[in-house]
Amino acid sequence: MDKFLIKGPSILKGQVSISGSKNAALPILASTLLFDKPVTLKNLPRVRDIDTMLNLLRSLGSKIEFFDNKKKVRISKTKKQKYFASYSLLKTMRAGILVLGPLVAKHQKSITSFPGGCVLNGNSGRPINLHLNALQKLGMKFSILNGYIHASSKGKLKGKTIKFPSISVGATQHLLISSILSDGTTILKGVATEPEVVDLINYLNAAGANIKWVGKRTCQIIGVNSLKETNYTVMGDRIETGTFCVAATLTKGNLLIKGFDPSLIKTELDLLKKTGAKIKILNQEIHIKGPQKIKKINHLVTKEYAGFPTDLAPQFMVLLCKANGRSSITENIFKSRFMHAMELQRLGAKISIKNNQATIEGNTNFIGAEVMSSDLRASAALILAVISAKGISTVSRVYHCDRGYENIEKKLKKIGVNIKRIS
Ligand code: EPU
């Protein structure tokens, strides 16, 4: 297992190019199972979860061709379509479940393993009840045997009105891609409106789907018979962008962050301004300078978009450790979002956790130590903390980071971080 060896503190300066969004690319890739014609995707991030999804598609019979250093991919159908999505591929990545609906929608059958992924929900695991219940309403039948979902449908799925009992990004994406070839009209109520959902809809409509927003959280999908050959550029990664914005703010840095639409992270940028960051918004660029003294944010609350994203809560926690007083974070999406707090304490942080609320004392001067990542965004938070810590640190289990951050050590080195990957 690789580790990062980081010597701090560093002041981050220079330019960062943001990679394509992992969380936008994953459902887009899963939906290629619906096409008879090839799909070409640009701006794919070179991260492990994308490799896993491509391996999954290959195992299902898709032909995958790479271009431009694997940032562009052409996915086409072969005659060897398969319907079995194995545990070995789904155990590390929750988004693997997104192949279930398209296989049933297109071929009326699938045997798909229960997925794995980051352990963000404590003992509750990462349920997929919202996905399965909604697919059932479209006419999918299923039974569970030996950890696999055996699913089928009699003919095409049938358009229905479905109201999600709670908001889920994955279930929204899954139902969108599963209903575009259905008979009739599907109405999805209570959908997630994250930019990655919007990117998926833009791409599906470009491919000939008929999806319309008919309310703030309501989509109408009129079934079509087939999708056409499509070229699409995946949006930039908003969580990577937010992570680098925190990095600049945390280290009195000065970064020009390129390749992302700043209007999509207005909530996060407004909060960083409150902490004292100076931010200039340009076209697809953010120029951000960190303050000499970081101001506290009394209370940060994670919410569905356009609220503050759970995937940036760990990184903001690091920032608040160095702010001028006590702050708190309430986490509303995942039960185990604060697993990195114990590791931050090894670097000198003063954080107490009660239920879904973390209280962060502030005024911490981090001192280097050995720390271990527990999940993807926890690994980003630990890397940020040790960059601003005095002395040498190691961050272990960086395979979590490799799931979602492209070339992180190369990008950090370029802006002044003393970082080395050791095996
Ligand atoms: N939930 C259920 N039942 C379901 C689905 C979800 O109870 O069937 C619960 C979850 O346990 C959670 C809440 O609903 O408590 C919201 O989960 P959601 O389905 O919205 O999350 P997701 O689709 O599994 C995506 C991102 C996550 C991100 C969340 C929230 C991808 C591949 N993953 O997960 O990203 O945190 O939305 O925005 O898009 C990450 O990139 O590090 C990551 C974890």
Side-chain angles (χ1 to χ4, degrees):
M1 278 191 250
D2 291 0
K3 291 180 184 181
F4 284 141
L5 185 70
I6 296 175
K7 191 169 167 217
S10 304
I11 296 174
L12 308 195
K13 286 192 175 149
Q15 284 189 17
V16 183
S17 296
I18 293 305
S19 300
S21 161
K22 158 183 92 75
N23 289 349
L26 288 168
I28 289 177
L29 285 168
S31 74
T32 60
L33 290 166
L34 297 165
F35 288 68
D36 297 315
K37 300 273 167 53
V39 176
T40 302
L41 299 172
K42 287 193 214 150
N43 202 29
L44 265 199
R46 298 281 334 270
V47 296
R48 211 162 51 106
D49 275 8
I50 297 297
D51 286 342
T52 307
M53 182 58 94
L54 290 170
N55 286 337
L56 178 56
L57 292 178
R58 206 179 274 119
S59 78
L60 290 168
S62 303
K63 181 176 171 198
I64 315 278
E65 295 165 276
F66 291 111
F67 309 90
D68 291 350
N69 195 21
K70 288 200 172 174
K71 283 188 163 295
K72 179 171 158 188
V73 69
R74 184 174 192 266
I75 301 170
S76 42
K77 231 186 159 66
T78 64
K79 291 202 176 99
K80 293 178 260 160
Q81 180 67 51
K82 299 194 180 79
Y83 313 98
F84 179 74
S86 77
Y87 175 65
S88 64
L89 284 164
L90 268 77
K91 70 181 175 194
T92 59
M93 190 190 61
R94 180 177 159 77
I97 192 64
L98 298 178
V99 302
L100 167 65
L103 284 174
V104 175
K106 181 78 178 158
H107 305 286
Q108 285 70 57
K109 57 184 168 184
S110 138
I111 301 176
T112 303
S113 167
F114 266 92
C118 285
V119 192
L120 288 173
N121 238 0
N123 293 334
S124 332
R126 299 277 299 270
I128 50 168
N129 56 319
L130 299 175
H131 301 233
L132 295 177
N133 292 345
L135 285 168
Q136 235 175 348
K137 291 198 177 126
L138 295 184
M140 183 185 94
K141 302 254 181 293
F142 72 92
S143 58
I144 293 166
L145 190 65
N146 305 121
Y148 282 84
I149 303 150
H150 293 247
S152 61
S153 74
K154 258 199 198 140
K156 282 184 163 197
L157 294 173
K158 310 274 179 302
K160 280 273 150 48
T161 296
I162 295 169
K163 184 170 183 344
F164 290 109
S166 60
I167 295 167
S168 159
V169 175
T172 299
Q173 293 165 331
H174 204 170
L175 267 290
L176 282 168
I177 59 184
S178 304
S179 54
I180 51 181
L181 298 182
S182 295
D183 267 343
T185 300
T186 302
I187 307 281
L188 299 178
K189 295 184 174 176
V191 299
T193 59
E194 267 63 6
E196 296 76 17
V197 172
V198 175
D199 204 43
L200 176 67
I201 293 177
N202 290 343
Y203 144 80
L204 292 171
N205 280 340
N210 188 344
I211 306 174
K212 245 201 232 150
W213 289 96
V214 292
K216 194 169 165 249
R217 288 199 177 273
T218 307
C219 286
Q220 170 193 281
I221 305 112
I222 300 176
V224 295
N225 284 329
S226 62
L227 298 167
K228 58 184 185 212
E229 178 162 0
T230 302
N231 284 290
Y232 193 75
T233 302
V234 176
M235 68 177 284
D237 194 308
R238 82 189 149 105
I239 307 300
E240 188 195 19
T241 307
T243 304
F244 278 103
C245 287
V246 173
T249 310
L250 181 71
T251 64
K252 305 187 181 89
N254 185 347
L255 292 181
L256 184 63
I257 299 170
K258 296 178 136 191
F260 185 77
D261 174 0
S263 69
L264 298 176
I265 54 165
K266 187 174 177 321
T267 304
E268 296 88 314
L269 293 179
D270 286 346
L271 283 166
L272 290 171
K273 279 183 197 161
K274 275 194 188 165
T275 68
K278 295 265 174 294
I279 298 175
K280 229 195 245 165
I281 303 290
L282 308 156
N283 180 27
Q284 296 287 316
E285 285 180 7
I286 301 165
H287 185 188
I288 178 161
K289 280 190 195 169
Q292 288 306 312
K293 283 217 164 71
I294 299 162
K295 292 189 206 128
K296 65 181 182 162
I297 300 171
N298 285 336
H299 193 192
L300 200 60
V301 181
T302 67
K303 279 205 189 108
E304 292 86 9
Y305 196 78
F308 180 77
T310 177
D311 288 342
L312 280 174
Q315 300 85 323
F316 268 69
M317 183 184 272
V318 173
L319 186 63
L320 297 179
C321 285
K322 291 185 75 78
N324 66 345
R326 180 183 292 178
S327 313
S328 67
I329 302 180
T330 300
E331 167 61 37
N332 287 317
I333 312 293
F334 291 115
K335 286 197 181 104
S336 306
R337 185 45 106 181
F338 296 139
M339 286 186 289
H340 56 286
M342 289 276 286
E343 295 300 294
L344 290 178
Q345 284 171 7
R346 295 172 55 74
L347 299 163
K350 291 174 243 37
I351 302 167
S352 55
I353 311 273
K354 203 165 170 208
N355 302 322
N356 64 337
Q357 183 160 326
T359 306
I360 302 127
E361 292 304 333
N363 293 312
T364 299
N365 287 316
F366 289 124
I367 308 285
E370 289 176 46
V371 290
M372 188 191 285
S373 327
S374 51
D375 61 74
L376 169 55
R377 306 305 169 188
S379 71
L382 293 175
I383 290 169
L384 292 181
V386 304
I387 287 173
S388 69
K390 194 166 174 219
I392 294 179
S393 302
T394 56
V395 181
S396 58
R397 302 203 170 172
V398 296
Y399 61 84
H400 287 295
C401 190
D402 295 336
R403 287 186 50 200
Y405 286 90
E406 181 176 70
N407 276 334
I408 185 129
E409 70 262 42
K410 204 167 153 198
K411 290 190 186 187
L412 287 172
K413 246 185 214 162
K414 200 177 145 222
I415 54 176
V417 178
N418 189 335
I419 179 171
K420 207 159 119 189
R421 182 183 283 258
I422 44 177
S423 295

